[in-house]
Amino acid sequence: MDAAALINEHTKMVQQGLLSVSAEQRKNLTNTLLGFYFLLPGFEQTLRDYLKINIDKQNLINDIKNDRLEKYRSAIEKCHATFDEYADDFQEVDRIDILIIEAFSNAISDLKNAANTLGLFIGIIDILDYYEAFSDNPEYWNNLLENEISYQRELLAGLKTNENLNSLGYPERYETVLFDTL
């Protein structure tokens, strides 16, 4: 099976799996998935540059848990407005920055909508695919990508059986990965 077909199949499986997940489980899942994004070397700087706000991981997690997301949503709206390709001051945005902003947007969006959580799952896949495409060692990144798909399936299966999510799952899984090697 080729990579595109595998990712397409995985997307459908995640989408289906999220249908039975409660809003509270999506909040916990969002915070768990954010653990991956905070590992990216440019994550916080990209958000600072484009959203014009500082992001503190623990505050963000607490704000997600307590539905205090208006300041983030307002910043995302302003950011998206600057991406108008027809504006006089339009600047092309790097693909990795777009993936980071999309992930953050999904994390602070209405978690009653499973599509936002799906976006976080698929964003991880897209980022690993990005690294595979631009790396000198695509086999390494492809292996990580395949392992990530399996891990995401395990996460969803655990939610069905009401297992507690390991909030350190992503930091532990990716602690030795050098994302800044491109």
Side-chain angles (χ1 to χ4, degrees):
M1 182 180 288
D2 67 21
L6 179 65
I7 292 170
N8 189 29
E9 176 189 317
H10 177 67
T11 300
K12 289 177 184 175
M13 190 279 308
V14 171
Q15 198 170 28
Q16 194 67 27
L18 288 172
L19 292 177
S20 62
V21 174
S22 72
E24 192 61 35
Q25 285 175 309
R26 277 195 287 278
K27 282 183 188 181
N28 293 334
L29 191 54
T30 294
N31 288 330
T32 297
L33 295 169
L34 276 172
F36 171 86
Y37 293 100
F38 272 99
L39 294 171
L40 299 174
F43 183 74
E44 292 174 68
Q45 185 63 47
T46 296
L47 296 178
R48 218 176 354 267
D49 290 348
Y50 289 98
L51 275 60
K52 310 298 185 215
I53 58 175
N54 289 320
I55 304 295
D56 176 80
K57 182 179 179 180
Q58 195 55 51
N59 285 343
L60 176 60
I61 288 169
N62 289 333
D63 288 343
I64 289 170
K65 284 181 181 178
N66 297 304
D67 294 317
R68 294 186 307 245
L69 300 169
E70 196 52 46
K71 70 180 177 185
Y72 305 111
R73 290 176 180 156
S74 176
I76 276 289
E77 278 183 37
K78 289 176 187 172
C79 175
H80 284 150
T82 66
F83 290 163
D84 178 6
E85 63 189 59
Y86 300 107
D88 292 336
D89 58 349
F90 174 74
Q91 292 181 346
E92 185 110 10
V93 180
D94 289 338
R95 177 72 178 140
I96 194 72
D97 291 340
I98 290 171
L99 292 170
I100 287 171
I101 292 165
E102 286 175 355
F104 185 77
S105 181
N106 283 316
I108 56 99
S109 293
D110 185 358
L111 295 175
K112 293 176 185 156
N113 183 347
N116 298 321
T117 309
L118 173 65
L120 287 169
F121 273 103
I122 301 310
I124 293 171
I125 301 298
D126 288 343
I127 287 171
L128 293 174
D129 185 56
Y130 170 86
Y131 275 87
E132 179 186 17
F134 293 102
S135 166
D136 292 337
N137 189 358
E139 297 84 20
Y140 170 78
W141 293 99
N142 185 57
N143 187 42
L144 283 176
L145 181 61
E146 289 175 6
N147 288 332
E148 178 60 28
I149 288 172
S150 296
Y151 182 69
Q152 288 185 5
R153 290 179 180 181
E154 290 172 21
L155 274 177
L156 286 171
L159 288 173
K160 286 182 181 179
T161 61
N162 289 321
E163 277 183 35
N164 286 335
L165 289 172
N166 177 2
S167 62
L168 297 177
Y170 277 101
E172 289 171 355
R173 282 180 52 75
Y174 288 96
E175 67 187 346
T176 62
V177 174
L178 300 174
F179 284 102
D180 57 348
T181 59
L182 295 184

